């Protein structure tokens, strides 16, 4: 793998933590808008229907994937521009 296409472990870890926090906030805000409910369902929430739990999990996964892709791509583009400037 070339230098421009890889990430250092520390950058990867930092982006992972930041991405998880950002995705969590976006998911909670999105769920509030969609479901008009402050409490987000999870698999252990037996008070919720299967449909509600699966929809929430799907939405959370999509948001998490999108945030991860955006952060990784931004980091790699920034790294490439930095390497080109040197």
């Amino acid at each position: 793998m070339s230098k421009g296409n890889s990430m250092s472990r520390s950058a990867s870890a930092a982006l992972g933590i930041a991405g998880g926090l950002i995705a969590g906030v976006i998911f909670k805000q999105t769920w509030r808008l969609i479901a008009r409910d402050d409490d987000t369902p999870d698999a252990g929430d037996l008070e919720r229907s299967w449909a509600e739990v699966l929809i929430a999990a799907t939405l959370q996964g999509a948001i998490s994937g999108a945030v991860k892709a955006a952060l990784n791509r931004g980091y790699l583009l920034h790294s490439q521009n930095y390497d080109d400037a040197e």
Side-chain angles (χ1 to χ4, degrees):
M1 207 179 257
S2 70
K3 182 179 176 184
N5 290 332
S6 64
M7 254 190 249
S8 70
R9 286 183 190 218
S10 59
S12 181
L15 287 177
I17 291 169
L21 293 172
I22 293 167
V25 169
I26 293 171
F27 170 67
K28 286 181 183 191
Q29 293 296 325
T30 303
W31 188 256
R32 284 185 188 144
L33 290 172
I34 292 172
R36 307 246 187 254
D37 186 2
D38 288 340
D39 186 28
T40 57
D42 61 33
D45 192 351
L46 299 178
E47 302 289 319
R48 307 287 183 125
S49 69
W50 272 94
E52 190 174 13
V53 169
L54 294 178
I55 289 168
T58 302
L59 179 63
Q60 187 175 22
I63 290 171
S64 179
V67 168
K68 179 181 175 183
L71 289 176
N72 287 344
R73 183 154 176 97
Y75 174 81
L76 292 173
L77 288 173
H78 174 74
S79 296
Q80 181 182 21
N81 290 339
Y82 180 77
D83 289 343
D84 289 346
E86 288 182 345

